[in-house]
Amino acid sequence: MLHDSVVKVGQSTIQVGPFNDRIYLMSLAPEDGPAIIDELTDIAASKDVSKIFAKIPESQAVPFLSCGFEKEAEVPNMFDGEAGVFLSLYRYPWRRELGNMEELDNVLSVAKSKHGKGNVSTLPGSLNMRSLRVEDVSVLATLYGQTFKTYPFPITDPEFVRQEMDDGTRFIGVFEGDKLVGAASAEVSKDGWSAEMTDFAVNPAFRAMGIAGALLRALEKDCDKAGIKCLFTIARGCSYGINSLFSKGGYEYAGRLINNTNISGSLESMNVWSKVS
């Protein structure tokens, strides 16, 4: 299946299509203001997607909330000192129904119990870490293809990964010799204020070796040097490992996005975690 398209509506950026069965307002331009809500609902009707999802500054939220959106997560200091909110409008009741709430709540409870305990971030001597470059895009895309059955963005396409690098996303990889065995990225906002810690992948044969913790710590140091103020992640709600990774790293739980993302073969709910740098 083809991935959803990333397009402009006015000066704002959205992702839309059947793959995630949603519209995602990724970046709201202030000049597009409340008028964009009608445009999004018209597009949603024409494409018949079941969810509209928006990441916007808190100060822009009232018109969305008055039109039926609900707040699912809030990240402090995301936009130049202002909180960011994740809002959702469900066009069909089934999209907001949770069949695995007990599992999601248990994952979250376990993760919260480990808050601030720290991650192992020292790699075994057989492994080395470095920033990834354009010449690494093919092996990086291959690693992602081996890790995720599906993913909300086409990270298994080397050209997409290359474009992400060109747009300022910072990728770091862990190698055994010349073999890439783990990777993650920090997707930096256009204003340089915040970064989404994302795209964590570790070859199954190399798990439980501290690779994810080492990648997270390296990305944090990189972002700190760049003056990035807010770090956040959108993590699979059913994953004990990734939620515990961020909780142990001092990230605060910020909310749950219901049936939000097509990842690993189906629509899944996602947890938002954040950390003010």
Side-chain angles (χ1 to χ4, degrees):
M1 181 184 289
L2 293 175
H3 278 80
D4 298 335
S5 301
V6 176
V7 298
K8 288 285 190 179
V9 175
Q11 297 303 306
S12 302
T13 303
I14 70 167
Q15 183 197 41
V16 58
F19 187 74
N20 293 285
D21 189 19
R22 71 180 185 192
I23 291 173
Y24 175 14
L25 176 56
M26 301 167 65
S27 175
L28 172 64
E31 60 267 32
D32 291 333
I36 199 172
I37 299 172
D38 287 338
E39 295 182 75
L40 295 178
T41 53
D42 287 346
I43 297 169
S46 68
K47 302 289 187 182
D48 196 28
V49 296
S50 59
K51 181 174 184 175
I52 307 174
F53 171 57
K55 179 183 70 182
I56 63 172
E58 186 178 38
S59 60
Q60 304 292 313
V62 169
F64 286 82
L65 296 170
S66 66
C67 290
F69 283 77
E70 52 196 277
K71 184 172 77 172
E72 293 190 315
E74 179 175 335
V75 172
N77 202 33
M78 178 181 272
F79 296 98
D80 194 14
E82 180 184 353
V85 292
F86 293 81
L87 309 178
S88 291
L89 177 71
Y90 294 91
R91 298 188 64 244
Y92 296 104
W94 67 262
R95 182 72 186 242
R96 68 188 316 278
E97 293 174 359
L98 277 177
N100 62 336
M101 185 180 293
E102 185 176 348
E103 176 192 15
L104 294 173
D105 287 347
N106 192 54
V107 170
L108 188 57
S109 176
V110 169
K112 285 182 173 180
S113 74
K114 300 177 181 179
H115 186 262
K117 293 186 176 180
N119 291 295
V120 175
S121 58
T122 303
L123 292 172
S126 59
L127 304 179
N128 62 87
M129 182 189 300
R130 65 167 171 82
S131 295
L132 298 178
R133 305 179 289 267
V134 170
E135 54 265 34
D136 299 309
V137 296
S138 291
V139 291
L140 180 56
T142 298
L143 175 67
Y144 286 136
Q146 293 168 342
T147 305
F148 301 105
K149 185 177 179 182
T150 58
Y151 203 77
F153 291 88
I155 58 172
T156 59
D157 178 357
E159 286 307 310
F160 176 82
V161 177
R162 184 191 305 271
Q163 186 60 55
E164 288 286 285
M165 288 184 179
D166 289 345
D167 289 344
T169 298
R170 301 157 184 262
F171 288 88
I172 294 179
V174 171
F175 291 81
E176 182 187 57
D178 294 330
K179 179 182 181 181
L180 181 67
V181 298
S185 74
E187 186 178 320
V188 182
S189 62
K190 292 287 190 288
D191 61 6
W193 189 271
S194 67
E196 180 180 353
M197 317 301 269
T198 188
D199 303 336
F200 281 76
V202 177
N203 182 310
F206 291 83
R207 289 181 183 161
M209 297 176 71
I211 290 175
L215 286 166
L216 179 58
R217 191 73 194 105
L219 286 170
E220 288 176 335
K221 288 179 179 178
D222 201 19
C223 288
D224 185 57
K225 288 178 184 176
I228 294 166
K229 305 297 183 185
C230 170
L231 308 178
F232 70 98
T233 194
I234 302 175
R236 295 177 65 198
C238 63
S239 170
Y240 286 93
I242 198 70
N243 286 278
S244 292
L245 173 76
F246 282 93
S247 182
K248 286 192 289 186
Y251 288 69
E252 302 288 344
Y253 174 68
R256 177 183 292 156
L257 314 176
I258 298 173
N259 295 329
N260 192 68
T261 303
N262 186 340
I263 188 166
S264 292
S266 63
L267 286 175
E268 292 193 14
S269 298
M270 309 293 282
N271 288 334
V272 181
W273 297 84
S274 70
K275 188 179 193 179
V276 177
S277 181

